[in-house]
Amino acid sequence: MADFLSRISTLFGRGPRRRGSDADLPASILGYRFLDTDLLREALPHRSYANSVSDHPTYERLEFLGDSVLGLIVARHLFVKHPEQSEGQLTKRKASLVNLKTLTQVAKREGLGQWIRLSPEEDK
């Protein structure tokens, strides 16, 4: 499991991150630049930020989609990597990888939190 997480985290690169413009985020972490920067702007604000800056969109809708995509990628990886395991075993492995605790650890380690926009109150 730890090996799998380390392979996933290589997608995000290594090393400390510094603040930059929204457009720099994908290039600095994924080596990818968004063509649709409006989509990127929607992906970064927390609800607290959006509420403090009027009716700005938040990442919640994209989070819904991203959770599904991540779940599919992890499920496929486990299905191929562990053909000997039952559905129940695969489900447990997937749940241990795709959960708040594990994803928070990866996000912290990779410095992703610095890119999320929070209201001043939430940031405290």
Side-chain angles (χ1 to χ4, degrees):
M1 189 172 351
D3 179 50
F4 174 68
L5 283 176
S6 70
R7 279 187 270 141
I8 284 181
S9 70
T10 61
L11 294 173
F12 295 103
R14 292 274 180 213
R17 310 286 181 226
R18 60 179 174 74
R19 285 207 181 267
S21 72
D22 290 353
D24 293 336
L25 171 66
S28 67
I29 294 177
L30 301 173
Y32 175 84
R33 278 202 181 273
F34 273 73
L35 298 176
D36 183 350
T37 55
D38 288 340
L39 186 60
L40 181 57
R41 278 194 228 36
E42 184 179 338
L44 299 175
H46 184 265
R47 182 186 317 167
S48 66
Y49 175 84
N51 291 340
S52 70
V53 183
S54 76
D55 195 20
H56 195 284
T58 70
Y59 60 68
E60 290 170 339
R61 285 181 45 82
L62 291 174
E63 178 183 18
F64 167 78
L65 181 61
D67 286 349
S68 297
V69 170
L70 179 61
L72 176 62
I73 291 168
V74 171
R76 183 186 182 283
H77 172 80
L78 293 173
F79 185 83
V80 170
K81 184 86 173 168
H82 302 284
E84 75 288 353
Q85 292 192 342
S86 70
E87 178 271 339
Q89 292 169 311
L90 294 171
T91 297
K92 286 180 184 176
R93 274 186 180 250
K94 180 177 161 247
S96 73
L97 293 170
V98 183
N99 64 55
L100 181 61
K101 182 180 177 186
T102 303
L103 296 176
T104 298
Q105 289 172 348
V106 171
K108 283 181 179 179
R109 184 181 67 230
E110 300 301 329
L112 299 178
Q114 68 180 317
W115 297 97
I116 302 300
R117 291 182 177 165
L118 300 170
S119 69
E121 296 78 29
E122 187 75 26
D123 202 21
K124 289 177 187 176

